Every structure is written in structure tokens, then in C-alpha cells.
Amino acid sequence: MSANSTLITLNTEQQLKENPVLSKDIDGSVISRLDDNIIDLSPYSTSASKYSSKFNFQKVSPKYRGQIKFLWYMLFKYGKGKNNNNLSVSTLYKTFNEFLCKLSLFSVKNDIEPIKVLSNEKNMFVFIKKNANSRPFLKTAQSSLSLFYSHPQKTGFIVSFPEVLSQYIANKIKLSDAHLEQTALIPPRLYTGIINQSWNLIYEHQRHHLKITSLIIEILDSRVSTSNTHNRSISYDFEILGPVIYGYIKKQANGIRGFIKYLTAIMGVCKNLIQIYSGMRSNEVLSLNSHCLSLDMNNIRPRARIIGNTTKYIGNKKNAQWVTSSEIEHVISLLHSITKPIADKLPNVSFSPTVPKDKKPCPLFLSIQYLKQPQYLDKKPLGAVGTLNTSLTMNGLYDYSEFIISESDSDFMQKVEPDRDWQNSSFATGLSFPFKGHQFRRSLAVYSAQSGLVSIGSLQNQLKHLCQEVSFYYRNGAENAKGLFGIPPQNHIGDLYNKLKPESDFLAYLFEIIYSEEKLLGIQGRAYQNLKNKSENHILSDRKHTLKQFNNGSLAYETTSLGGCSSIEPCNKRLTRTITACISCEHATIKLSRVQRAIETLSVYLDDHPTTSVEYRSEKSELEALISFRDKKRNILE
């Protein structure tokens, strides 16, 4: 036996002998120790899935289980994320599944100890190349090997990780990333459709929320007071919930089962709306506590923030905030009407905004299993988070006939990403659009970053105020975003917003200029029009180069009230004058349709003000200038 092998064996035996505690519950009772075959880190997980926080070392061959568990423990104890935080439970789970379990399989198949695989250059190359087609493996191998390489005194061996192997892994990851398809931007018509349907479902529930809550209480009381698990002898009047909700219950299942399926589905609708109106990730939404919404009512329009506690696996809680709309108060209230009766039955859970030290805050998405299984009250006294379908297509409340991809939707996606083969994918015309939670995140960032895209279709009415709020805080306040929202920037939608701003401006440029069928006016607009007349696809011929110019700041486009602005510098012409400053600006593109809309808006504004007021006289001169410009250009165009 080599010195390295002896040392790792000694380290492994020592750690297993000490058998350190790895997780505890809220009362301080031990849940898992290192020598357990199944290690449960669920108290420290932000993931909604209970499976991704339980590490089953029975999957690993008993012959090498000690070494694999020791390597995992090194990652658990010393692994660091991008912000020097301990690795999250989900990251540890991916590393266990994708790297350590495959290392165990390789060791068994080749009869080589895991430590000898990692410490021998030839074995390492064979092992890595055998799994090189798996991006998750490469990513977890890269981070794990780097940690082992950096801590030989802690691991007790020297990993063979030469520069050539490190570069090989990096190149493979880069090649894999190049083939990854970007998250699809939801076309405006479908985006509006999912928002409208979601709110209609929320409003229908609100009409009957008192009766729904009463039924939940009745079911809970009857299940607690009887030993009959299924309560077959007790009947409940679900017809009082109205024909829409009752129809869904009957369609899914009889009695309580159908009711529970309905409650699970409507909670899924709530999750979708929170994501749509905040850009949060699924696990961020599902980790929220009940009193997560902060409303500042001092403004004309209430300022709304979602407050979350992101729990790292070391047990520390980190405050995080997301900009949202005050309309989300309806969603939070609906969830409260479902979960509060359940929380009241859990002695260790507090529904109060101020949580006592000896209790745990109620999760916003408290599990509905408490209604289904009476024993769940004893089994999960700390308030388990419900498991919701991450795929919107699994939620039976929606009318999917409205989400069939039309030719106009396909045309939009093709213009956004012309190199992607949309018709030979799940996004082909005639198929139901495959909504996913991360699409809501990207779509909010893109549409908010460029109001010209938001105004497509009826999105302006749905998200106008929210997008203005997002734009103000994530663009104008970008430099202060870290301190303002208390979250590492690369983990927050604020960072995604800033990264996507150039792309959003580029897309607005395509739709507003290149694809526009309207005559372009203004000094810059005429230049664009002449360019289009000479060669319609001039700028599209090198799309990547044009996008690169937007990214490096040499090209810019911002939607304005009268059209657009191509200045790469901040505007200084509207400080003393309002929208008519664009008429004579060398960077302006003007459209008569926008001018007409501005005239109509100003006319309504003037009707609401006395003719003797300063505001009336000021805006009247603006209105007259716009009318003069419109009439003059109409005569020329005719």
C-alpha cells in the first residue's frame, strides 16, 4: 500500500470514527451524522424537492463507500461557492450524483480505489474522457478536482490534475456551452395570455375563498378527530364553491382527492404569477415564508418588494429582496387563506409576522399533504413545503388551446433568434407553447429592459408599472444593487437585467427599425430609412457584429414617446423641454403613429387642467408643436 493510500485510509477512518454531526432540526436534535448511509441535509436546503437533499450512500459500492464518503465530506466541509459561501445542498447533491457516484462506478469496474484514480495521471485521463460527453459531470469534476488539488494537507493525498487535463475539461465545457440553446423569450401574445388566465383563476378563487377556507378547516378537524385515514364516511359539499371550481374538482377526482388537486393547482398558478411579476427562480419562490411581501403605501403607487430568506446549507439565513407589483398582494392573500388553517394545526409553526424563537415561520407554500394524510401532522411538525409541478403544462386549470403557437408567434421567435431551428423543436407552429419557470425570468428582464418590446401587443397594459419599477431599480440603481437587495449580484434578476439590457435594446432596434413597416422620420430616422431602402437586410447580414456593438456601447437604441433614440450618451435635451425635444434631435427616430398617440394623450391631459394653470400653458405649447409636426409630415408623405 502506497503512502498516499495509507494516508487517505487513516484520514477516512479518523473522520468516520469522530462521526461528526452534519444536520440538526429546529429543536437541535441530530438528524444525520457522517457514518449514516443516508445523510439528510433538508433543513438547510432551499430546494423544494425533498429528494435532492438526501444523499443515499447505499448507491455506492460498500467496497469504496468509505473513500467516497470521505471525499464528499471534504466538499461539504471545505467547498466554497462563487461568493466564498459554503456549497449549497443542491450543488453538493449534483456533485455526489454526477461526479462521486461515477467515480465509484469507474473504481468498481476497473478494480482501482477512488484515491488511486484521482492520484494517478493515466487513470484520471481515462476516467475524465470516459464521461466527457456529460456537461454536469465536467462541471462538478472541475470544481471538485480544483478543491482536492488545493487542499492536499486536508485530503491526505495529492490529486493528479495537470494543466493539460484542466484545459481539456475547460474546453469541453466551453464546447458544450456553445451548443446550449438560450432560454426562449415568451412571445408577447402568449405572455399576455398566461398572465390573463392566471389572474382570472385567482379572481375566481377569491370569489369563494371564505367557503374554501371553511372546507379546509372542516376537513382538518375531521381528520384530526378520527382514526379513519380516508374519511370515507364523511361527505363534504364541494358544490358551494361554484360551477367553475366544482367542475374542475369533479374532472380530476371524486371528493377530497379532487379538492386537494385543485388546491395544489391553484398554488401552482400563484407560483407562476410570483415568478412572472418578480423574475425569481422556482426554488427562490418555494423557499419564501408566508409574510414575505413588503408594501410601502406612502407612494402614489404602492412600492412592493418580496423579502426572502435564502438558507445556505451551513444554516445561516441571508436576506434577499425582489422588485414586484403590489398586485401580488392578491396572490399572497390567496395562499394565506389555504395555508393558515393548516399552520394553526402545527404547534411548532408560527403564522405570525414576528416568529417566536422556539418556532419556525410558516412556509408560503405549505404542503397540502396535511389535508390528505392525517399522520402528516405528526410526521412533518415543522411545516413541509409542498411539491408543485414545475411544468405549467401539468397544471390542469389552464386552457391550453389559447397557448397554441401561431405563425405570428413563430415569426416573433424567428426574428429574435433566426439561427435556431424552431420548427423542428417543441416550439414549432401548432404545438402548445412549453412554458417553464425560467422563461418568466428571462422574459421579464428583456421586456423590462426595453419598453419598446413591452409595448408590443397588450403587454404595455399588463406590465407597464412593474417594468418601470424594475427598470428604475435594476438599471438606474445597478451600482447600488448589491447593498440594496442584499444578495450576490450573479444570483439575482437585477444582474440578469443588466446583462440582457444590450440584447433588449438590440431586439427593440430590430423590431422598431429594421422590421418596421412604418415610414421613419427624424434626423436619424431618415438615415435608417435610406439605409433600409438601399438594402433591407444590410444590418441583419452581420447580426452578431451588430449585437456586439450594442454590448460594447458603440451602438444604442432607446424607445421614446415619439419613436426612438440612438444616442450612446445620456440625453441632455429633455431637461428643459419635454417630448418635443426629440423633433430636432440628430439622434431621433420619429414615427407618426407615436406622434399621434402623444397628441391624444396630451389632449386628455389638458382636458383635466384649468386653462389658466401653468401646466396647461406649458403642455399646450407642446401639443401645438406636435400637431404642427404631424400635419407637416402628413402633407409631405401624401
Side-chain angles (χ1 to χ4, degrees):
M1 183 180 289
S2 67
N4 273 344
S5 181
T6 302
L7 192 53
I8 186 68
T9 301
L10 290 173
N11 281 354
T12 302
E13 290 176 350
Q14 180 63 28
Q15 293 291 350
L16 291 174
K17 185 178 180 181
E18 293 176 0
N19 196 19
V21 173
L22 300 182
S23 62
K24 296 181 180 181
D25 63 19
I26 194 171
D27 297 322
S29 301
V30 174
I31 296 177
S32 294
R33 290 180 177 273
L34 184 58
D35 68 349
D36 293 342
N37 281 331
I38 297 178
I39 295 175
D40 184 2
L41 299 183
S42 56
Y44 314 130
S45 176
T46 59
S47 172
S49 173
K50 60 184 178 180
Y51 303 107
S52 60
S53 56
K54 292 184 179 180
F55 299 78
N56 186 1
F57 284 92
Q58 292 173 326
K59 293 167 58 176
V60 177
S61 168
K63 185 177 181 180
Y64 301 123
R65 188 175 297 163
Q67 288 193 15
I68 293 296
K69 186 176 286 188
F70 173 76
L71 293 172
W72 177 87
Y73 181 65
M74 290 295 101
L75 294 167
F76 173 90
K77 191 171 183 179
Y78 302 112
K80 298 293 181 183
K82 293 180 180 179
N83 303 293
N84 209 34
N85 294 324
N86 293 72
L87 297 178
S88 67
V89 176
S90 59
T91 299
L92 281 169
Y93 189 80
K94 289 176 186 175
T95 305
F96 172 69
N97 266 345
E98 298 295 338
F99 178 67
L100 293 178
C101 286
K102 288 179 180 177
L103 173 61
S104 174
L105 289 173
F106 182 85
S107 294
V108 170
K109 186 175 182 180
N110 295 280
D111 196 23
I112 307 173
E113 294 178 31
I115 182 60
K116 290 185 178 179
V117 175
L118 299 182
S119 59
N120 181 279
E121 185 172 325
K122 181 180 178 181
N123 291 337
M124 275 282 281
F125 268 96
V126 175
F127 170 54
I128 296 297
K129 288 184 177 180
K130 179 178 177 59
N131 297 281
N133 290 328
S134 169
R135 185 179 182 276
F137 168 82
L138 292 170
K139 292 288 288 184
T140 53
Q142 185 183 53
S143 57
S144 301
L145 293 173
S146 296
L147 182 135
F148 298 148
Y149 183 80
S150 303
H151 297 87
Q153 72 283 3
K154 293 172 180 174
T155 60
F157 69 96
I158 299 175
V159 67
S160 179
F161 196 39
E163 179 64 27
V164 62
L165 180 58
S166 175
Q167 194 60 48
Y168 172 80
I169 294 175
N171 289 339
K172 278 286 187 179
I173 292 174
K174 187 176 181 180
L175 184 64
S176 176
D177 288 346
H179 289 89
L180 286 176
E181 291 184 331
Q182 191 176 36
T183 300
L185 185 65
I186 304 173
R189 184 188 72 85
L190 298 173
Y191 200 24
T192 302
I194 187 64
I195 293 170
N196 282 335
Q197 280 204 38
S198 295
W199 282 118
N200 288 338
L201 291 167
I202 296 297
Y203 297 147
E204 180 64 28
H205 182 101
Q206 286 183 320
R207 288 176 56 202
H208 307 283
H209 76 278
L210 293 177
K211 295 175 183 177
I212 292 171
T213 301
S214 295
L215 272 172
I216 292 173
I217 294 172
E218 186 180 347
I219 293 169
L220 282 169
D221 288 343
S222 64
R223 286 184 178 273
V224 169
S225 62
T226 180
S227 59
N228 184 353
T229 302
H230 299 289
N231 285 359
R232 291 192 179 99
S233 60
I234 302 176
S235 61
Y236 303 95
D237 184 10
F238 295 109
E239 290 188 56
I240 63 172
L241 304 183
V244 176
I245 296 176
Y246 180 61
Y248 175 80
I249 292 172
K250 284 185 63 179
K251 180 180 177 182
Q252 294 302 309
N254 292 325
I256 293 178
R257 285 184 59 206
F259 183 53
I260 289 174
K261 287 193 177 214
Y262 166 75
L263 293 177
T264 303
I266 197 66
M267 291 177 79
V269 174
C270 292
K271 173 183 170 290
N272 291 337
L273 280 172
I274 292 175
Q275 287 192 268
I276 289 170
Y277 279 78
S278 70
M280 298 173 73
R281 294 184 177 93
S282 290
N283 67 324
E284 292 169 342
V285 175
L286 293 174
S287 69
L288 291 171
N289 293 329
S290 287
H291 297 281
C292 60
L293 183 64
S294 172
L295 290 176
D296 178 5
M297 307 302 290
N298 294 325
N299 299 312
I300 297 174
R301 187 175 71 253
R303 192 187 75 167
R305 299 288 180 271
I306 290 178
I307 313 296
N309 285 319
T310 304
T311 307
K312 301 300 179 184
Y313 84 88
I314 54 174
N316 294 330
K317 291 184 177 180
K318 186 165 184 132
N319 183 265
Q321 298 185 37
W322 292 264
V323 171
T324 190
S325 167
S326 59
E327 293 297 308
I328 288 298
E329 186 176 14
H330 295 289
V331 175
I332 303 297
S333 177
L334 186 155
L335 289 167
H336 284 179
S337 70
I338 295 174
T339 59
K340 187 179 185 301
I342 301 173
D344 289 342
K345 298 292 183 183
L346 299 170
N348 296 321
V349 173
S350 172
F351 197 82
S352 171
T354 306
V355 182
K357 289 184 179 180
D358 61 337
K359 292 192 176 183
K360 185 179 178 183
C362 178
L364 182 63
F365 289 89
L366 187 62
S367 177
I368 300 299
Q369 290 296 318
Y370 290 99
L371 285 180
K372 188 176 181 181
Q373 304 176 28
Q375 63 271 27
Y376 220 68
L377 292 168
D378 297 323
K379 187 179 178 182
K380 298 287 183 179
L382 300 179
V385 175
T387 302
L388 303 177
N389 290 319
T390 56
S391 173
L392 184 141
T393 55
M394 298 298 290
N395 188 314
L397 294 182
Y398 289 101
D399 178 6
Y400 300 103
S401 65
E402 292 188 11
F403 303 144
I404 301 300
I405 300 172
S406 66
E407 290 187 7
S408 63
D409 300 325
S410 294
D411 181 59
F412 176 86
M413 292 187 287
Q414 193 66 41
K415 286 175 179 177
V416 171
E417 293 183 71
D419 297 329
R420 189 162 169 176
D421 188 5
W422 294 101
Q423 294 308 315
N424 289 311
S425 72
S426 57
F427 297 92
T429 304
L431 298 181
S432 182
F433 190 88
F435 288 101
K436 302 288 184 182
H438 52 274
Q439 294 166 350
F440 297 143
R441 178 178 168 84
R442 179 169 186 256
S443 297
L444 176 63
V446 170
Y447 287 132
S448 297
Q450 180 46 256
S451 60
L453 288 173
V454 177
S455 64
I456 297 173
S458 60
L459 274 179
Q460 183 75 14
N461 296 327
Q462 291 286 354
L463 293 173
K464 180 174 66 175
H465 295 314
L466 174 63
C467 288
Q468 288 173 348
E469 189 90 338
V470 168
S471 180
F472 178 79
Y473 281 94
Y474 294 153
R475 182 185 175 197
N476 298 334
E479 294 179 358
N480 300 317
K482 291 184 188 179
L484 181 64
F485 296 102
I487 192 168
Q490 67 268 25
N491 293 328
H492 198 277
I493 188 179
D495 181 63
L496 180 64
Y497 173 94
N498 288 309
K499 286 179 178 177
L500 289 177
K501 183 67 170 74
E503 179 188 346
S504 302
D505 292 346
F506 170 65
L507 291 176
Y509 177 68
L510 289 182
F511 282 99
E512 295 282 311
I513 301 298
I514 305 305
Y515 296 131
S516 176
E517 296 180 0
E518 188 174 352
K519 192 80 169 180
L520 304 179
L521 306 172
I523 297 174
Q524 184 63 53
R526 289 196 297 272
Y528 285 143
Q529 189 65 52
N530 291 334
L531 190 64
K532 287 178 64 178
N533 291 339
K534 291 178 182 178
S535 175
E536 185 127 352
N537 296 317
H538 175 75
I539 297 177
L540 291 179
S541 62
D542 196 349
R543 183 188 180 96
K544 290 183 179 179
H545 176 69
T546 308
L547 179 56
K548 185 177 180 180
Q549 289 178 296
F550 273 86
N551 279 309
N552 64 28
S554 58
L555 276 182
Y557 185 82
E558 187 76 25
T559 302
T560 65
S561 298
L562 302 186
C565 178
S566 300
S567 175
I568 60 175
E569 300 292 336
C571 179
N572 59 7
K573 292 184 172 61
R574 282 177 283 178
L575 296 177
T576 56
R577 300 174 65 194
T578 52
I579 58 177
T580 54
C582 296
I583 291 176
S584 58
C585 178
E586 65 272 21
H587 302 295
T589 295
I590 299 176
K591 295 183 176 182
L592 280 186
S593 61
R594 297 277 180 86
V595 174
Q596 180 60 35
R597 190 167 63 190
I599 290 172
E600 293 169 358
T601 302
L602 271 177
S603 298
V604 172
Y605 177 83
L606 289 176
D607 288 342
D608 293 334
H609 287 75
T611 56
T612 56
S613 66
V614 175
E615 292 86 356
Y616 183 91
R617 292 196 299 270
S618 174
E619 297 304 326
K620 189 172 188 300
S621 64
E622 286 283 302
L623 178 60
E624 290 171 346
L626 289 174
I627 292 173
S628 175
F629 178 84
R630 179 199 63 185
D631 294 343
K632 180 181 177 182
K633 295 301 178 182
R634 274 182 177 174
N635 292 333
I636 294 174
L637 292 176
E638 290 174 357

